[in-house]
Structures are given as structure tokens and as C-alpha cells.
Amino acid sequence: GESVGLHLPTLSVQEGDNSIINCAYSNSASDYFIWYKQESGKGPQFIIDIRSNMDKRQGQRVTVLLNKTVKHLSLQIAATQPGDSAVYFCAENLNAGGTSYGKLTFGQGTILTVHP
Amino acid sequence: DGGITQSPKYLFRKEGQNVTLSCEQNLNHDAMYWYRQDPGQGLRLIYYSQIVNDFQKGDIAEGYSVSREKKESFPLTVTSAQKNPTAFYLCASRPGRGQGRLSGEQFFGPGTRLTVL
């Protein structure tokens, strides 16, 4: 079946470094992708999204890159801070179109740990 | 403030009992979703509803039931048929395409942690 997966389950960086979290997806029909941040015991928080007609999108300290050729999504966090420590999930939107956005399928998640 | 609320935050249930988890949103969103999250894992879709009085099964609907009688509310019942209900349950909502939003972002509640004793 279709799935979204992450290459690295854990990532450990030093404060101030840049972080890159990767995600592979398998459904070429997916047209929308989101990155979420989840802190322990809380619900996921939206970080950034990107549509399939884009290759790159930037937010505050974050950049999402989409490579449709190899079905790969990445989240770059600049100048990583201890407050960025969390689990990061990518999600793809399947069967979007018409009057609804369809469903999101989430990846396994990557644990990011930022050391001061 | 607009948002999604889930209650209770922690819930304990004895084996064989049904239990209902509450999810309310005042964002005027059309769609609502229920996910289950097990330790160290991602979110798995239980049920979703794109409009009042309509809902569809997700990937792991067995042992769960929902209703969508009001736009603001999407309660989830964990029945005794669910063999391993201990998990963190997350509710989310999302505006419909006709609600003037360009993104398909889902907004999440704080979650309910269910433990079966």
C-alpha cells in the first residue's frame, strides 16, 4: 500500500547547527505535504506545508524541499535551538481534489534532540 | 480563542467497558478526524468526517465508533471490541475546500491518553 516513511528515526545536533529531517513518500498522486512538530504529551503542531507544484518553501527558520522525481521530502531547520527538540512528522495528502482534501497519511516520525 | 478541545486529558477504563472521548472545535471546520498514536509511532487514522451526519472508516476503525450530529462535535467511542485500546488519541479538524483556505492543514487537539486497567 501507499506509505510515508522517514529515513532516520533519531537525529541529535548541537545548538546552533542546522538540522535536516528526511521523508520518503510512495504515492506519486499525493499533491500536498505537511510537516508537524510534536512535543511530548501534546498534539502535533503545524510547521510548514508545500504543494506538489512547488519545489521549495520557506518559513521562519524552516525550509521544506520537495523532490518529486525521487519522491522525497525534507525539512531544514536553521540555527537549531533546544526548544526545537521534539518528534517531527511528515504527512502526505492522498486523493485530494474535488470538494475535500481527503486524508493525511503520517510517517513514523523522527526524534530531534538539540544539545545546548 | 478558537481551537480544538479534547476531554478528558487522562482516562482510565476497565476491560470490557465502553468509553467515549470528547472532541469539540469552534473553528467552524467542516472536517474532523480521530487518530491513534502508540508509543514511538506515528498517527494512524481511526475515523474521519467531512460533513455533518457523515463519516468514513480510516485505517484502524475496528473496535471504534463515532457520530457527527453537530459540526462542532465528533465524539469517539472505544468499545470493548477494541483489543488493545491503551494509546494516545488525537482529534483534528480541517476546513473544507469551500471554506476559503488554500491549505489542507489539520489542526490538532491536545489529546486524550487512555489506559485500560
Side-chain angles (χ1 to χ4, degrees):
Chain A
E2 303 296 345
S3 66
V4 175
L6 292 168
H7 295 303
L8 299 174
T10 61
L11 178 63
S12 184
V13 301
Q14 291 296 126
E15 181 177 2
D17 287 351
N18 295 333
S19 302
I20 299 176
I21 301 171
N22 297 302
C23 175
Y25 68 95
S26 58
N27 190 337
S28 58
S30 293
D31 64 354
Y32 177 72
F33 304 86
I34 307 179
W35 280 100
Y36 282 96
K37 172 186 179 183
Q38 186 179 26
E39 297 176 339
S40 181
K42 297 183 179 180
Q45 297 173 283
F46 172 85
I47 302 173
I48 193 167
D49 57 0
I50 189 168
R51 292 186 178 277
S52 60
N53 61 355
M54 303 170 68
D55 296 323
K56 179 180 180 179
R57 191 159 188 234
Q58 289 184 295
Q60 187 176 12
R61 285 201 305 119
V62 294
T63 301
V64 56
L65 298 177
L66 175 62
N67 185 331
K68 293 181 287 295
T69 301
V70 294
K71 298 189 185 70
H72 185 267
L73 193 68
S74 68
L75 176 70
Q76 300 178 0
I77 305 174
T80 314
Q81 303 167 0
D84 294 328
S85 295
V87 179
Y88 289 81
F89 294 96
C90 65
E92 65 177 311
N93 192 93
L94 302 175
N95 299 320
T99 60
S100 73
Y101 277 107
K103 302 182 295 181
L104 285 177
T105 296
F106 286 80
Q108 182 182 7
T110 291
I111 301 172
L112 175 64
T113 303
V114 182
H115 300 284
Chain B
D1 290 334
I4 302 174
T5 58
Q6 292 184 243
S7 61
K9 185 172 178 65
Y10 298 96
L11 188 57
F12 298 90
R13 188 194 91 174
K14 293 181 180 179
E15 283 191 30
Q17 287 182 335
N18 292 354
V19 64
T20 298
L21 282 60
S22 169
C23 178
E24 304 279 333
Q25 54 99 0
N26 61 4
L27 300 167
N28 196 36
H29 286 170
D30 285 339
M32 296 187 74
Y33 304 78
W34 273 107
Y35 294 91
R36 170 183 172 136
Q37 187 175 32
D38 293 287
Q41 297 192 25
L43 282 64
R44 291 185 290 168
L45 183 64
I46 304 173
Y47 268 99
Y48 65 107
S49 167
Q50 303 206 29
I51 196 168
V52 174
N53 292 323
D54 186 45
F55 49 83
Q56 290 82 39
K57 292 182 178 179
D59 301 319
I60 55 165
E62 185 176 354
Y64 300 97
S65 65
V66 294
S67 63
R68 186 85 187 277
E69 298 176 0
K70 299 187 297 183
K71 188 175 187 177
E72 303 80 20
S73 179
F74 191 41
L76 173 74
T77 297
V78 184
T79 74
S80 57
Q82 170 50 234
K83 299 305 179 186
N84 185 22
T86 295
F88 189 48
Y89 290 87
L90 287 158
C91 179
S93 70
R94 191 186 210 180
R97 284 190 183 272
Q99 290 189 289
R101 293 254 328 186
L102 298 179
S103 74
E105 174 191 354
Q106 290 186 12
F107 296 77
F108 283 86
T112 292
R113 188 166 299 280
L114 173 64
T115 302
V116 173
L117 303 174

